[in-house]
Amino acid sequence: MSVAATGAAGRLPPRMGGRSPGLFLKTRLPTILALVLAVMTIALAPVTPAQSQTTRIQRVVSPGGIEAWLVHDTTLPLVAMEVAFIGGAAQDPADKPGIASLMASLLDEGAGDLDARTFQDRMAEKAIELRFDASRDMVSGSLRTLSENTAPAFELMRLAVTAPRFDDEAVERIRQGQLAGLRRRMNDPSTLASLGWSATAFPNHPYGRPVAGTLESVPTISRADLAGFATRTLARDNLKIAVVGDIDAAALGPALDQMFGALPAKAQLTPVPDVVPQGLGTTVVKELDVPQTSVIFGGIGLMRDDPDFIPAFVLNHMLGGSAFSSRLFKEVREKRGLAYSVYSHLAPLDHAALILGGTATKNDRTAESIELIRAEYLKLLTDGPSAEELEDAKSYLIGSFALRFDSSAKVASQLLQIQIDNLGIDYIDRRNALVAAVTLDDIRRVAARLREDPALLFSLVGKPTGITPTAIPGAQGG
């Protein structure tokens, strides 16, 4: 699931759905300010640099056997929690994409004996932030609270994951928000290019379907679909938990049972087959009357548990992982002015290993841009980097690592992803040494592996010249 060598995945897409802007405004305005201030404080909460985190990470196991990783930090009276249930939108039925996304958006819209308004008011009164999202491979949740309010915050988490209501009013309101988001995305070239890439790369596979569903599928999702999805996927055996802040192990252990103990012991997940992206070496085009063409490209990468992942991560940094020093940035932007930005990253999903990237350029320079991207990728795989280029890349990746741990919320997110990727509780201490140990021979070995099938699939949305348009199957919503 991760896209970086921290084991940290890229953040989930913005929440689709959402509440009507004025629904709770009159009743919650005085407390919204308190909530905003609390969240800002959590985001700015300082923590110890990454290199010293491992000695502070505790593996906490509740009396009922639920495990969490904890960093006890009393610097500020705040608690940040990240949770993930493995099995996200890939568990949606083929004919109803969007269930996971809609279900996640509804978990904090009423639960137990609290309807949506009451649930939201309880959060606002205590300056609690609780939200859920769905990605291809997981349903995730985030909790932020003042430590003095952990009891009500944990109770709201318990209700959300064990007793969601899916009331008709809330379902229809969030459904309409999700549909509005889908309509907006139908006019967003970058989103359409991404959807087109996935649909082409993964035909007849869950990864080829839009996470947020389509304009046709979302209206057909019933309350029974939502409740059934929650019952099948929210369970104890596929649950990962990370907690950072002003709570100790003695208090957290029983709280884990309180929040998650009533969940089913085992999830009922549909097996998702491993898959290799299709359509490599081709360019697909969806015409849209805009002055620039959005470009998404990608090919075969490495899985996160591959022994060569760290060298591949360093290799990608040199290709397109750096905003200012990568080869793609220098060739595409600095030398030729073809685009404002261009990037690439490793994207190991649970069942597919990818390298992905993107840019946007003038319609009449799109053909030149994609040929340059293709050529630079193959050149790096064939000739490799210089020793100086490799050392510069490693220096940057090592020096910037601590920035991923400069707030309690970031630490919790990192700890969660490290668990998901099964990297070990000592990974934070080991990670920089792993990067430092990468040699030119390691880079050459990885490059040779990637060179076995270096073809890239390009998905374009715009009115590019010099390229024959090809219909993109299934590029709707998302």
Side-chain angles (χ1 to χ4, degrees), residues 263-301:
L263 289 169
K266 293 185 178 297
Q268 303 170 41
L269 302 182
T270 301
V272 177
D274 293 341
V275 63
V276 175
Q278 305 298 300
L280 301 181
T282 65
T283 300
V284 292
V285 180
K286 180 179 179 64
E287 288 201 3
L288 193 67
D289 191 10
V290 289
Q292 286 197 123
T293 295
S294 289
V295 179
I296 297 293
F297 62 89
I300 296 174

Side-chain angles (χ1 to χ4, degrees), residues 23-45:
L23 183 61
F24 302 118
L25 189 58
K26 292 182 180 179
T27 59
R28 294 172 57 197
L29 186 56
T31 53
I32 285 175
L33 295 177
L35 175 62
V36 170
L37 290 173
V39 172
M40 289 176 62
T41 304
I42 290 173
L44 296 173

Side-chain angles (χ1 to χ4, degrees), residues 2 4-11 50 53 57 69 82 242 244 401-421 423-424 427-428 431:
S2 62
T6 62
R11 296 307 301 161
Q53 287 297 337
I57 301 172
W69 286 9
E82 296 284 332
V244 176
F401 186 51
L403 298 177
R404 304 187 184 197
F405 299 86
D406 61 2
S407 75
S408 55
K410 285 185 180 180
V411 174
S413 179
Q414 294 290 321
L415 294 187
L416 182 73
Q417 194 63 50
I418 290 170
Q419 291 180 71
I420 291 169
D421 289 337
L423 299 177
Y427 177 75
I428 295 174
R431 185 270 194 183

Side-chain angles (χ1 to χ4, degrees), residues 3 9-10 23 35 41 50 94 136 149 151 159 165 167 177 219 306 330 338 383:
V3 297
L23 183 61
L35 175 62
T41 304
R136 284 186 175 93
N149 293 330
L159 291 172
R165 289 169 62 113
D167 290 334
D306 192 296
K330 289 177 180 178
L338 295 174
D383 299 337

Side-chain angles (χ1 to χ4, degrees), residues 372-393:
L372 182 59
I373 290 169
R374 185 182 288 116
E376 281 301 315
Y377 181 49
L378 189 58
K379 180 180 178 181
L380 181 60
L381 296 185
T382 302
D383 299 337
S386 66
E388 181 181 3
E389 190 178 7
L390 174 59
E391 290 306 313
D392 287 346

Side-chain angles (χ1 to χ4, degrees), residues 1 12 84-89 133-140 417 420:
M1 288 181 188
L12 295 171
F85 296 92
I86 308 305
D133 277 295
S135 63
R136 284 186 175 93
D137 291 318
M138 67 180 176
V139 172
S140 61
Q417 194 63 50
I420 291 169

